[in-house]
Amino acid sequence: PQTIFRPVSWNEGGNAGPQFSPDGKHIAFMSNRNGPWQIWVSNVDGSEPRQVSFTQSAGTPRWSPDGRSIAFDAPFHSSIWIYVVNVEQHREARPIVEGLVPSFSRDGAWIYYASDRTGDWQVWKTGAAAEPQVQVTFGGGFAALESTDGYIYYSKSKNPEPEICRVSVNGGEESCGLQRVRPRTWASWAVTRNGIVFAEDRPNGQAELSLYDP
């Protein structure tokens, strides 16, 4: 059958990093339509867009499991911090911890993020109230996503075509046996109920979207 694509968000400037809300009714995305990149939310068809971040700039939005909040990263105190904004109550976003590329745990109790506080990039997690801070990876890690099978999957680095590894949500040894999963960037993959969806560059110069079913 023919696949039909249609734009759901368009305006002057750019729109990037779309993320469906857990109920599938809204999309969070980055847009620079009003100047610097900020986080916006719209209905799933692109209607009624509204800006939800008002920081110096903002990126990498991720929904909380209940769909009430969005975590993102933005400049703060001459560094990059993880922010959380309540999209239902229209509250101002608050900085949580210094770091990059946030994502929520499946139960919403933790926010994973990347930090180089130890001298190299590792995955950490923080509680919703910014405490405690727990190191998740020890052999390198950047963008992390928790799956439904009890693992945290993460890109080993922020370099192009990163290795995707995993570690139990309860800790332990990491596993990096996913040789066939090499997304084009740390942001070009996602964890779904059916496996890992990722975009990769093919030898013919074309991009390809694949599903890895473990």
Side-chain angles (χ1 to χ4, degrees), residues 117-175:
R117 66 183 65 179
T118 59
D120 56 356
W121 288 105
Q122 303 289 348
V123 176
W124 288 67
K125 65 180 181 180
T126 180
E131 292 293 342
Q133 306 296 320
V134 180
Q135 188 170 350
V136 176
T137 66
F138 295 85
F142 196 64
L145 297 170
E146 187 178 309
S147 67
T148 58
D149 62 358
Y151 287 95
I152 303 162
Y153 291 83
Y154 56 94
S155 62
K156 190 74 170 175
S157 72
K158 61 178 182 177
N159 298 326
E161 298 184 352
E163 187 177 15
I164 302 299
C165 301
R166 74 178 189 177
V167 65
S168 169
V169 295
N170 298 317
E173 296 293 326
E174 72 174 6
S175 173

Side-chain angles (χ1 to χ4, degrees), residues 15-179:
N15 301 287
Q19 299 286 324
F20 281 101
S21 62
D23 62 7
K25 296 180 179 180
H26 297 90
I27 298 174
F29 59 97
M30 302 159 50
S31 178
N32 63 358
R33 64 187 64 188
N34 286 344
W37 289 99
Q38 297 290 346
I39 308 303
W40 289 66
V41 172
S42 73
N43 294 331
V44 73
D45 62 359
S47 63
E48 299 183 15
R50 62 183 178 91
Q51 186 175 337
V52 298
S53 73
F54 297 88
T55 49
Q56 182 179 339
S57 64
T60 57
R62 296 287 184 182
W63 290 91
S64 61
D66 60 11
R68 296 178 178 176
S69 300
I70 294 174
F72 62 93
D73 52 29
F76 181 66
H77 288 176
S78 302
S79 185
I80 305 297
W81 279 56
I82 305 302
Y83 280 72
V84 175
V85 61
N86 188 303
V87 295
E88 287 189 339
Q89 300 177 357
H90 303 277
R91 293 179 179 175
E92 183 179 355
R94 57 189 176 92
I96 298 295
V97 66
E98 186 176 353
L100 297 173
V101 294
S103 68
F104 282 90
S105 61
R106 292 282 176 173
D107 61 6
W110 298 95
I111 297 174
Y112 300 105
Y113 64 96
S115 173
D116 62 352
R117 66 183 65 179
T118 59
D120 56 356
W121 288 105
Q122 303 289 348
V123 176
W124 288 67
K125 65 180 181 180
T126 180
E131 292 293 342
Q133 306 296 320
V134 180
Q135 188 170 350
V136 176
T137 66
F138 295 85
F142 196 64
L145 297 170
E146 187 178 309
S147 67
T148 58
D149 62 358
Y151 287 95
I152 303 162
Y153 291 83
Y154 56 94
S155 62
K156 190 74 170 175
S157 72
K158 61 178 182 177
N159 298 326
E161 298 184 352
E163 187 177 15
I164 302 299
C165 301
R166 74 178 189 177
V167 65
S168 169
V169 295
N170 298 317
E173 296 293 326
E174 72 174 6
S175 173
C176 297
L178 305 178
Q179 290 89 350

